[in-house]
Amino acid sequence: MTGPLCDQPWRDTVNPKHLCPFGGATTMQLRQAPQLDQLHALSVQLDLPVHLAVIPAHTKDTLAEYMASRQNLRPMVHGWAHQNHAEAGMKKSEFPHNDAACQSRASEGLKTLTHLFGSDLLPVFVPPWNRMDTGLSQHLKSAGYHAVSTFGPRKPQSGILHINTHIDPIFWRGTRGLVPPERLIAQTIERIEARRNGTEDAAEPLGYLTHHLVHDPDIWTFSYAFLNELLDGGATPAHLGKDLA
């Protein structure tokens, strides 16, 4: 392999024995699309599971049928309708409060996707925009969820397990293309070194976040090279279904 990954001395910085297993890419998915075929192909090439955040209110039977024959694609619950219910001036959130309305949306999301995907569904709650009222955790557990997934290193939590993502290759506040590879590599080294020195939870899979419907060629190329480099260096794919058993 050639390019930015090989130009970095990160193999010397990050010994594979210190590299925790990482979760498959998480992404929003409303429907079957050509980009999903591309994501599935990447998953097959790397032999790496992909954990898909599926929006319940907009998902059709066709997506469930598509994923049923592709067991490396594992659905999770992406809120309810990906609609903002935060007050004006606040950061976007579909679940800004631990109230009856938010609890109902969360419960309905799990019921809807369980009906569509059956036992293939991972009971993981992925709140849109990676944020929710933390008081909602106890309700999620009571409703049947086993875990929550947002962005960033997990902190000690009570009530429900957190399995987060940590590396996002999209420059959302800039070009909306690929974040400079050297910055992504530096972020990855920072996460792994924090696990090694005990300031972050070393038992949490290292999650790579994707939004395949908006990937450009540079993001696809980097994603394959980056994940392949981690696997080649000794990383073990995380299968969330096993973690939640």
Side-chain angles (χ1 to χ4, degrees), residues 64-86:
E65 293 167 0
Y66 177 89
M67 293 177 64
S69 61
R70 296 164 175 83
Q71 287 298 302
N72 55 323
L73 303 181
R74 301 301 307 275
M76 305 180 296
V77 184
H78 198 31
W80 170 243
H82 210 286
Q83 294 178 347
N84 179 31
H85 292 281

Side-chain angles (χ1 to χ4, degrees), residues 148-155 162-166 204-207:
V148 169
S149 183
T150 57
F151 188 83
R154 68 183 176 193
K155 298 177 175 59
H162 281 241
I163 306 175
N164 295 342
T165 54
H166 311 88
E204 182 182 21
L206 182 67

Side-chain angles (χ1 to χ4, degrees), residues 36 77 81 129 155 164 169 189 195 216:
L36 184 56
V77 184
W129 298 288
K155 298 177 175 59
N164 295 342
I189 292 173
R195 292 155 185 250
D216 63 20

Side-chain angles (χ1 to χ4, degrees), residues 19-25 46-49 51 163-164 166-167 188 192 195 203-208 223 226-240 243:
L19 185 60
C20 293
F22 57 90
L46 295 173
D47 192 21
L48 179 69
H51 304 92
I163 306 175
N164 295 342
H166 311 88
I167 307 299
T188 304
I192 296 171
R195 292 155 185 250
E204 182 182 21
L206 182 67
Y208 185 76
S223 295
F226 178 79
L227 295 171
N228 186 62
E229 179 79 0
L230 290 178
L231 291 167
D232 187 55
T236 303
H239 296 264
L240 296 192
D243 294 342

Side-chain angles (χ1 to χ4, degrees), residues 100-154:
C102 289
Q103 292 178 4
S104 177
R105 286 194 291 270
S107 297
E108 193 61 29
L110 182 60
K111 291 176 184 176
T112 297
L113 293 191
T114 298
H115 175 74
L116 280 174
F117 293 100
S119 60
D120 288 339
L121 179 70
L122 296 175
V124 178
F125 184 73
V126 186
W129 298 288
N130 289 306
R131 62 179 68 96
M132 69 177 202
D133 187 306
T134 56
L136 197 60
S137 295
Q138 189 56 52
H139 170 77
L140 294 175
K141 189 172 183 179
S142 299
Y145 288 100
H146 292 189
V148 169
S149 183
T150 57
F151 188 83
R154 68 183 176 193

Side-chain angles (χ1 to χ4, degrees), residues 156-174:
Q157 301 283 344
S158 60
I160 196 166
L161 176 69
H162 281 241
I163 306 175
N164 295 342
T165 54
H166 311 88
I167 307 299
D168 185 349
I170 300 178
F171 193 1
W172 293 105
R173 296 184 180 180

